[in-house]
C-alpha cells in the first residue's frame, strides 16, 4: 500500500477547521475518523490490493455504475472508518477541491457507505465488502452538477438527499439513522483522475443533527485512539501492509515512534522493530509475519509525553489451506450403524475454513456423516479468500447395501469397497440359510449374483469379512458380519 499524503494536523474541536490526513487507498487500513473537524483528503491511486472482486461488484447493489456506463468503481480512492457515538442522524458532504491552489476543479467524487457492522462479531469487514457479501447501504456514482456529493443536504444548492435509485442522477443520498457503537466504512472514489493522472483533493465534513448537537460525540472519537485501525486478515503473498502512526491523536507532534510486536499474540512482546518515514511513523509488515503490532509515540511537546494504541492491531496472514488427514470416525470396521459412515477433515494449522465432500455444499463443520463407501474427495476452502485445496481423495471401507446385476454397467458387482485398505482380507458370501456362495479376496472384482453359473433371485444375502488390523504394533485378527440386498 502506498502512502499518498503524510502530514496530519492537530485534531481540532471546531467544525470550522479542517485537518489533513494520510490517505489510505485500501479498505484493510481504513483511517479511523471523528466528526469534530473537516478532513482534507488527497487521492492518487487504488492501492496495492484490489478491494473489489471485479466479477461480482459491478453487478452489486448501488455500485452498478449509476448513469455513467464507463464509471470506475475503484480508481483513485480513500477509505475511512467511523463508529457511531450515539443514536440519531448522520450525513456528510464531500466537496471537490482544486488540484492546485486557485486552479479549476477537475475531480469527480463518488462514494459508497458500508455497514452497520458489529465490532464484537469478529467479521472480516473488508473481505465481505470486497466479495459483495456486504452490500453498500448508501452510494452515489452519478455525475455531480455541483462541487458536492454526499448524504443529507447539498450545501451549494440546498438539494435534499433522496433514496438511491440507479440512474436517478441524484447526487445526494438521504441521511442515515445510526445506533451507538455501529461501525461504518466510507469509500470515496475519484472518477476523473484517470484522465489526467494528477492527484486531487476533497474535503469531507460530517453533518446531521447529531453533529449539530455535539460534534465531539456524534461519532465515537475514541476510535482515533485505535489509530492503527481494526485487525487485518490477509493472505500469504499479499502486498506489504503499511501501518501508520500519523493518524494518531498526537497529530504532527511526533518526535519518534517505537514499534513492537507480539508474534504469537500471547501477551509477550517478542521484538522491537524499526519504523520508516517521518520520525519512524510507518511500519511495513510483510507476509507471512503475523502478529499483534503496537506503536508508542513520543511527542515533541511532551503533552502528553506518549501516545499509544494500547490494543495494537492483529495482522494474520493465511495461506492456501492444506489437508493434514482424514480421520475415519465410522466405517465398516468401527461403525455402530453399518449403514452410516463418518469422517472428520483435519486441516494443517488453524484457519477459518469450510469443507466440501464429493462436490457437495460447503459446511463449517469438518465432520461428515452418511458418506458412501469407497473413494471420496474433499476440498478445503479458506473463507478469507486465500484459496482452496484441489480435490483430495480418501477411502472409506464399507459396502453397498444393494446391487443390481442386470448388465447395464451400474452396480453389476457387489464387493466391500476400499477392501485394499485392509490386511489380508477374505470375503465370504452366504445365502440366508448359511450356504457359502462365493469367496472374494482383495484382488477380486466382486460377486455377480450367480452360483454355479445360475442367476440367484432377489433376496437378502449375508457376508463375512476376515482381515487383520495393526493395533499398537500388534497384528490382530478381526471379523465383520452383515447383509446386503440383490435386486433384479
Amino acid at each position: 500500500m502506498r502512502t499518498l499524503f503524510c502530514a496530519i494536523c492537530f485534531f481540532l474541536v471546531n467544525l470550522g477547521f479542517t485537518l489533513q490526513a494520510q490517505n489510505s487507498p485500501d479498505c484493510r487500513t481504513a483511517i479511523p475518523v471523528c466528526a469534530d473537524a473537516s478532513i482534507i483528503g488527497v487521492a492518487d491511486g487504488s492501492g496495492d490490493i484490489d478491494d473489489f472482486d471485479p466479477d461480482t461488484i459491478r453487478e452489486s447493489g448501488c455500485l452498478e455504475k449509476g448513469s455513467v456506463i464507463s464509471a470506475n468503481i475503484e480508481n483513485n480512492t480513500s477509505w475511512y472508518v467511523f463508529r457511531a457515538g450515539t443514536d440519531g442522524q448522520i450525513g456528510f458532504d464531500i466537496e471537490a477541491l482544486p488540484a492546485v491552489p486557485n486552479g479549476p476543479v477537475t475531480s469527480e467524487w463518488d462514494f459508497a457507505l458500508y455497514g452497520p457492522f458489529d465490532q464484537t462479531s469478529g467479521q472480516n469487514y473488508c473481505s465481505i465488502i470486497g466479495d459483495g457479501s456486504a452490500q453498500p447501504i448508501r452510494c452515489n456514482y452519478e455525475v455531480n452538477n455541483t462541487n458536492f456529493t454526499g448524504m443529507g443536504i447539498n450545501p451549494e444548492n440546498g438539494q435534499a438527499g433522496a433514496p438511491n435509485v440507479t440512474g436517478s442522477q441524484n447526487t445526494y443520498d438521504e441521511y442515515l439513522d445510526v445506533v451507538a457503537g455501529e461501525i461504518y466504512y466510507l469509500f470515496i472514489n475519484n472518477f476523473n483522475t484517470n484522465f489526467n493522472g494528477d492527484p486531487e483533493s476533497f474535503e469531507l465534513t460530517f453533518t446531521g443533527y447529531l453533529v449539530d448537537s455535539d460534534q465531539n460525540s456524534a461519532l465515537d472519537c475514541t476510535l482515533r485512539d485505535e489509530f492503527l485501525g481494526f485487525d487485518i486478515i490477509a493472505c500469504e503473498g499479499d502486498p506489504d501492509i503499511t501501518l501508520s502512526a500519523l493518524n494518531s491523536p498526537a497529530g504532527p507532534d511526533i518526535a519518534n515512534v517505537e514499534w513492537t510486536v507480539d508474534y504469537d499474540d500471547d501477551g509477550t512482546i517478542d521484538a522491537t522493530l524499526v519504523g520508516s518515514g517521518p520520525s519512524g511513523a510507518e511500519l511495513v509488515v510483510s507476509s507471512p509475519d503475523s502478529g499483534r503490532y503496537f506503536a508508542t509515540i513520543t511527542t515533541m511537546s511532551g503533552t502528553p509525553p506518549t501516545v499509544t494504541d494500547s490494543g495494537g492491531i492483529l495482522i494474520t496472514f493465511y495461506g492456501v489451506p492444506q489437508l493434514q488427514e482424514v480421520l475415519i470416525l465410522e466405517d465398516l470396521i468401527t461403525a455402530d450403524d453399518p449403514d452410516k459412515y463418518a469422517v472428520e477433515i483435519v486441516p494443517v494449522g488453524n484457519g477459518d475454513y469450510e469443507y466440501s465432500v464429493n462436490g457437495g455444499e460447503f459446511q463449517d463443520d469438518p465432520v461428515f456423516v452418511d458418506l458412501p463407501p469407497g473413494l471420496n474427495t474433499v476440498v478445503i476452502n479458506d473463507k478469507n479468500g486465500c484459496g482452496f485445496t484441489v480435490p483430495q481423495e480418501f477411502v472409506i471401507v464399507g459396502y453397498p447395501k444393494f446391487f443390481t446385476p442386470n448388465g447395464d454397467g451400474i452396480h453389476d458387482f457387489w464387493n466391500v469397497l476400499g477392501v485394499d485398505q485392509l490386511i489380508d482380507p477374505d470375503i465370504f458370501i452366504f445365502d440366508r440359510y448359511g450356504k457359502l456362495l462365493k469367496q472374494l479376496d482383495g484382488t477380486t472384482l466382486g460377486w455377480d449374483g450367480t452360483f454355479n453359473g445360475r442367476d440367484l433371485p432377489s433376496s437378502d444375502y449375508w457376508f463375512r469379512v476376515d482381515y487383520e488390523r495393526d493395533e499398537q504394533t500388534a497384528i490382530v485378527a478381526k471379523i465383520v458380519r452383515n447383509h446386503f440386498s440383490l435386486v433384479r
Side-chain angles (χ1 to χ4, degrees), residues 7-14 17-20 36-38 224 246 248-254 299-301 303-304:
I8 183 168
C9 298
F10 284 103
F11 287 94
L12 305 174
V13 295
N14 294 313
F17 292 91
T18 60
L19 60 90
Q20 292 179 314
D36 59 359
S38 296
R224 280 197 309 241
L246 295 173
S248 77
D253 188 25
I254 298 177
T299 62
M300 291 186 292
S301 66
T303 308

Side-chain angles (χ1 to χ4, degrees), residues 359-376:
E361 294 291 329
F362 280 95
Q363 65 180 49
D364 294 338
D365 190 347
V367 174
F368 289 80
V369 298
D370 296 339
L371 292 182
L375 189 65
N376 294 263

Side-chain angles (χ1 to χ4, degrees), residues 108-404:
E108 172 71 32
W109 297 104
D110 305 309
F111 72 86
L113 183 72
Y114 294 85
F117 297 117
D118 179 358
Q119 194 170 352
T120 66
S121 67
Q123 285 182 304
N124 182 13
Y125 307 134
C126 290
S127 176
I128 62 176
I129 289 173
D131 67 11
S133 300
Q135 297 284 330
I137 58 172
R138 298 280 195 281
C139 61
N140 205 300
Y141 267 65
E142 302 299 341
V143 177
N144 299 330
N145 52 16
T146 70
N147 287 333
F148 287 85
T149 187
M151 296 191 322
I153 299 175
N154 188 325
E156 185 170 321
N157 62 9
Q159 176 194 21
N164 175 269
V165 177
T166 300
S168 68
Q169 300 185 11
N170 178 20
T171 59
Y172 258 72
D173 282 40
E174 58 189 338
Y175 280 112
L176 177 70
D177 291 324
V178 300
V179 175
E182 293 176 338
I183 300 291
Y184 293 88
Y185 277 77
L186 175 60
F187 169 66
I188 299 177
N189 181 75
N190 184 9
F191 167 58
N192 273 349
T193 301
N194 63 315
F195 298 133
N196 56 35
D198 294 329
E200 295 175 295
S201 58
F202 59 87
E203 182 173 345
L204 171 64
T205 305
F206 285 94
T207 62
Y209 74 74
L210 283 184
V211 177
D212 295 338
S213 174
D214 187 348
Q215 62 196 36
N216 290 290
S217 64
L219 302 185
D220 184 357
C221 291
T222 63
L223 185 64
R224 280 197 309 241
D225 295 330
E226 304 171 41
F227 56 86
L228 294 180
F230 292 107
D231 294 346
I232 294 174
I233 291 176
C235 300
E236 291 182 3
D238 273 0
D240 294 343
I241 298 171
T242 300
L243 302 179
S244 175
L246 295 173
N247 293 302
S248 77
D253 188 25
I254 298 177
N256 68 278
V257 180
E258 180 183 75
W259 294 92
T260 54
V261 60
D262 174 2
Y263 287 120
D264 300 318
D265 194 26
D266 60 0
T268 301
I269 297 299
D270 297 305
T272 299
L273 307 173
V274 178
S276 60
S279 306
E282 295 175 341
L283 182 71
V284 177
V285 180
S286 300
S287 166
D289 292 339
S290 299
R292 186 173 294 277
Y293 292 81
F294 301 88
T296 300
I297 301 169
T298 300
T299 62
M300 291 186 292
S301 66
T303 308
T306 59
V307 174
T308 182
D309 184 339
S310 58
I313 180 172
L314 179 63
I315 299 177
T316 307
F317 290 99
Y318 288 108
V320 175
Q322 300 177 52
L323 175 66
Q324 177 172 306
E325 63 177 323
V326 176
L327 292 177
I328 306 298
L329 303 180
E330 294 186 351
D331 63 1
L332 173 73
I333 313 305
T334 61
D336 293 330
D337 182 343
D339 294 336
K340 295 182 178 180
Y341 305 125
V343 301
E344 180 178 358
I345 312 302
V346 181
V348 175
N350 296 318
D352 192 6
Y353 301 134
E354 58 184 5
Y355 311 87
S356 169
V357 168
N358 299 329
E361 294 291 329
F362 280 95
Q363 65 180 49
D364 294 338
D365 190 347
V367 174
F368 289 80
V369 298
D370 296 339
L371 292 182
L375 189 65
N376 294 263
T377 60
V378 59
V379 173
I380 306 174
N381 179 56
D382 178 75
K383 294 169 69 174
N384 299 298
C386 294
F388 52 86
T389 63
V390 299
Q392 300 187 52
E393 297 178 342
F394 63 93
V395 174
I396 297 178
V397 180
Y399 68 96
K401 291 182 287 185
F402 70 93
F403 78 120
T404 57

Side-chain angles (χ1 to χ4, degrees), residues 37-59:
S38 296
I39 297 168
I40 299 295
V42 176
D44 183 25
S46 59
D48 287 337
I49 64 171
D50 196 353
D51 282 308
F52 299 117
D53 179 349
D55 294 330
T56 60
I57 298 301
R58 290 184 183 274
E59 307 296 327

